[in-house]
């Protein structure tokens, strides 16, 4: 009973500190929260929480603020993640449903996350090397020019033009389309490249490539384009202006980290399958200089696979329940879009 009451006091301190940005005193807790106990009992509970390292007193005679340990207990004891409101769900749907391609999905997602959480949002582009080939389309633009369209399971679409040495009859084009699709569909990138290369005999460099050789060459080039493996989109940096009181400890290091995409990728962590939501608080992160920063992240991708991560980064004084709900909801929606693409 005492433990549950102290947890309720800690929860109230976290909620008030996040909302007011001011250290929280026992009188304010009693007035704002129906704790059902006297101010003296609340003071005793706060003293016990401080002794256990869950809260601290930043200044003499001031109220208390949560520590990293306190935030950790608060997050771990959340019985459920706060559900998104109907208005928030409509906002997610209206913004993401209009996306026209993968780049558009990523850019809309990062703006949406920043708006919902009022934090810095980070979205990793799906990793090309982990994706599989969904379809290859060959379109004749002229008798000697083809448009090659490569569609991957991540939703990524690559388009390349192929100039042929001679005209290609429609029936030969249909056969070539079937051949490359049989070799590549359903294969991860590395295996698809191997299978496609096996379709082409060693050709004399002095003679023009066959239609099969020309198409395979551009497909292998498209699959070997690893630009997206470490690409991320960042949004909402202006939200850091709200944390001017902790500029040197929390905001300045984070602003510097926004310039280093490798740092942000490491902050997001590794992509995991399912709906695993990761919350790293303060010193739990991989960089000591970002010890005043928290990260809420999860994986996204079609089906049960996570090809990349998305999440939010900000000072430890954040709305964890709301941020966790927003990150999970956006990841689910983006995964659904990629699954239906």
């Amino acid at each position: 009973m005492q433990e549950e009451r102290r947890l309720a006091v800690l929860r109230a301190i976290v909620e008030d500190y996040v909302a007011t940005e001011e250290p929280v005193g026992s009188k304010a807790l009693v007035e704002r929260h129906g704790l059902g106990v006297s101010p003296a009992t609340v003071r005793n509970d706060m003293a016990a929480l401080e002794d256990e390292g869950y809260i601290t007193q930043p200044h003499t005679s001031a109220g208390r603020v949560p520590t990293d340990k306190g935030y950790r207990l608060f997050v771990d004891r959340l019985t459920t993640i706060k559900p998104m409101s109907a208005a928030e769900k409509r906002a997610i749907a209206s913004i993401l449903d209009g996306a026209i391609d993968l780049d558009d999905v990523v850019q809309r997602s990062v703006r949406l996350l920043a708006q919902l959480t009022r934090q810095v949002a980070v979205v990793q582009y799906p990793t090309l090397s982990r994706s599989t080939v969904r379809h290859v389309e060959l379109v004749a633009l002229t008798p000697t020019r083809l448009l090659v369209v490569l569609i991957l399971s991540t939703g990524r679409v690559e388009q390349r033009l192929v100039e042929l040495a001679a005209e290609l009859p429609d029936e030969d084009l249909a056969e070539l389309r079937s051949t490359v699709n049989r070799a590549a569909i359903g294969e991860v990138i590395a295996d698809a490249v191997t299978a496609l290369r096996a379709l082409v005999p060693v050709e004399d460099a002095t003679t023009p490539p066959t239609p099969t050789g020309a198409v395979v060459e551009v497909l292998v080039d498209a699959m070997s384009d690893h630009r997206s493996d470490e690409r991320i989109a960042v949004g909402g940096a202006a939200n850091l202006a709200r944390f001017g009181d902790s500029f040197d400890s929390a905001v300045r290091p984070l602003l510097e980290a926004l310039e280093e995409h490798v740092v942000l990728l490491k902050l997001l962590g590794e992509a995991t399958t399912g709906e695993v939501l990761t919350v790293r608080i303060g010193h739990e992160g991989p960089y000591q200089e970002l010890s005043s920063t928290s990260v809420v992240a999860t994986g996204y991708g079609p089906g049960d696979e996570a090809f990349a991560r998305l999440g939010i980064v900000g000072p430890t004084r954040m709305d964890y329940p709301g941020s966790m709900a927003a990150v999970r909801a956006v990841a689910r929606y983006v995964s659904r879009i990629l699954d239906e693409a």
Side-chain angles (χ1 to χ4, degrees), residues 16-213:
D16 279 11
Y17 182 56
V18 169
T20 67
E21 304 179 12
E22 297 290 340
V24 183
S26 57
K27 183 179 179 182
L29 288 181
V30 172
E31 290 174 352
R32 285 198 286 257
H33 299 270
L35 299 174
V37 293
S38 68
T41 300
V42 171
R43 283 193 293 273
N44 289 337
D45 288 338
M46 291 175 73
L49 288 169
E50 188 170 8
D51 289 342
E52 294 169 7
Y54 293 114
I55 59 176
T56 187
Q57 190 174 24
H59 308 291
T60 305
S61 74
R64 270 62 168 185
V65 300
T67 62
D68 287 358
K69 183 179 178 181
Y71 284 127
R72 179 79 267 164
L73 180 62
F74 171 77
V75 169
D76 289 346
R77 293 298 293 271
L78 285 174
T79 52
T80 57
I81 296 179
K82 170 183 159 186
M84 302 295 290
S85 69
E88 288 170 328
K89 290 178 180 177
R90 285 195 299 272
I92 293 173
S94 64
I95 291 174
L96 293 182
D97 278 347
I100 58 175
D101 57 23
L102 180 61
D103 282 329
D104 200 16
V105 170
V106 170
Q107 294 299 328
R108 287 171 183 249
S109 299
V110 82
R111 290 198 302 270
L112 177 61
L113 267 179
Q115 291 169 9
L116 290 173
T117 63
R118 299 182 68 200
Q119 300 288 351
V120 175
V122 183
V123 179
Q124 178 188 14
Y125 278 77
T127 304
L128 181 63
S129 59
R130 296 181 59 187
S131 56
T132 58
V133 176
R134 183 170 284 179
H135 185 65
V136 177
E137 186 55 62
L138 306 180
V139 181
L141 301 179
T142 72
T144 59
R145 174 179 289 180
L146 300 180
L147 174 65
V148 178
V149 182
L150 170 67
I151 304 173
L152 302 179
S153 58
T154 55
R156 181 170 173 175
V157 177
E158 292 286 338
Q159 300 184 37
R160 298 285 194 278
L161 288 176
V162 177
E163 299 291 344
L164 303 177
E167 293 187 8
L168 186 67
D170 289 344
E171 58 271 20
D172 291 348
L173 175 62
E175 177 61 29
L176 178 55
R177 183 186 298 114
S178 298
T179 299
V180 295
N181 273 293
R182 281 197 303 269
I185 284 182
E187 301 291 343
V188 296
I189 292 297
D191 293 342
V193 167
T194 300
L196 286 169
R197 282 179 170 156
L199 298 176
V200 185
V202 178
E203 296 179 342
D204 185 348
T206 62
T207 61
T210 63
T212 301

Side-chain angles (χ1 to χ4, degrees), residues 205-269:
T206 62
T207 61
T210 63
T212 301
V215 168
V216 166
E217 182 181 349
V218 297
L219 281 173
V220 169
D221 177 69
M223 293 180 188
S224 302
D225 182 358
H226 292 283
R227 289 173 303 171
S228 70
D229 281 8
E230 292 187 353
R231 284 179 67 201
I232 61 172
V234 180
N239 288 327
L240 293 175
R242 296 187 296 121
F243 300 94
D245 58 321
S246 54
F247 184 84
D248 285 332
S249 63
V251 177
R252 188 195 301 277
L254 187 49
L255 282 173
E256 293 173 353
L258 297 183
E259 301 296 321
E260 300 290 338
H261 286 188
V262 173
V263 172
L264 292 177
L265 283 170
K266 193 167 182 181
L267 280 177
L268 288 181

